[in-house]
Amino acid sequence: VKTKEKLFLSLLSHTAIKKVSSCGLLIAIHFENYEINKRIIDKCIELGVFTDWFLFASNALRIAPPLIITENEITKACKIIIQAINEVL
């Protein structure tokens, strides 16, 4: 799990990302506000990555994959998240 967490953290880099916090594979990507986060979430879902926000942090996109996620799937998901950010901002 630690190796997969580190891979996520290494791939989630963008100027619009304010902070990435994690505990294992429970990961939060923090953006400036809810409106930006919601647009990114909607685009991620459109592009095939299922995600949502945290009830206690509406500006944070939630990543909670199964523990059996592969490194290739992590890479693909992160590319889609970065693509979504680029398309909506």
Side-chain angles (χ1 to χ4, degrees):
V1 170
K2 271 294 185 199
T3 302
K4 292 175 182 180
E5 176 187 18
K6 287 179 184 178
L7 180 58
F8 266 113
L9 298 177
S10 72
L11 296 172
L12 293 171
S13 179
H14 192 283
T15 57
I17 296 173
K18 300 298 180 190
K19 177 175 84 168
V20 179
S21 51
S22 64
C23 182
L25 290 181
L26 182 58
I27 301 168
I29 305 172
H30 299 263
F31 296 99
E32 187 173 334
N33 56 47
Y34 168 78
E35 291 75 23
I36 291 171
N37 187 37
K38 177 69 168 109
R39 291 190 348 238
I40 293 167
I41 287 169
D42 290 344
K43 182 55 78 170
C44 283
I45 292 169
E46 181 183 317
L47 295 172
V49 171
F50 180 73
T51 187
D52 209 348
W53 63 87
F54 288 91
L55 292 177
F56 61 87
S58 62
N59 67 318
L61 182 149
R62 179 178 58 204
I63 300 174
L67 297 178
I68 61 169
I69 190 169
T70 67
E71 291 183 3
N72 287 338
E73 291 168 328
I74 292 170
T75 301
K76 181 178 178 182
C78 289
K79 284 181 182 178
I80 290 172
I81 293 168
I82 298 300
Q83 177 186 348
I85 295 168
N86 287 331
E87 287 186 21
V88 302
L89 297 181

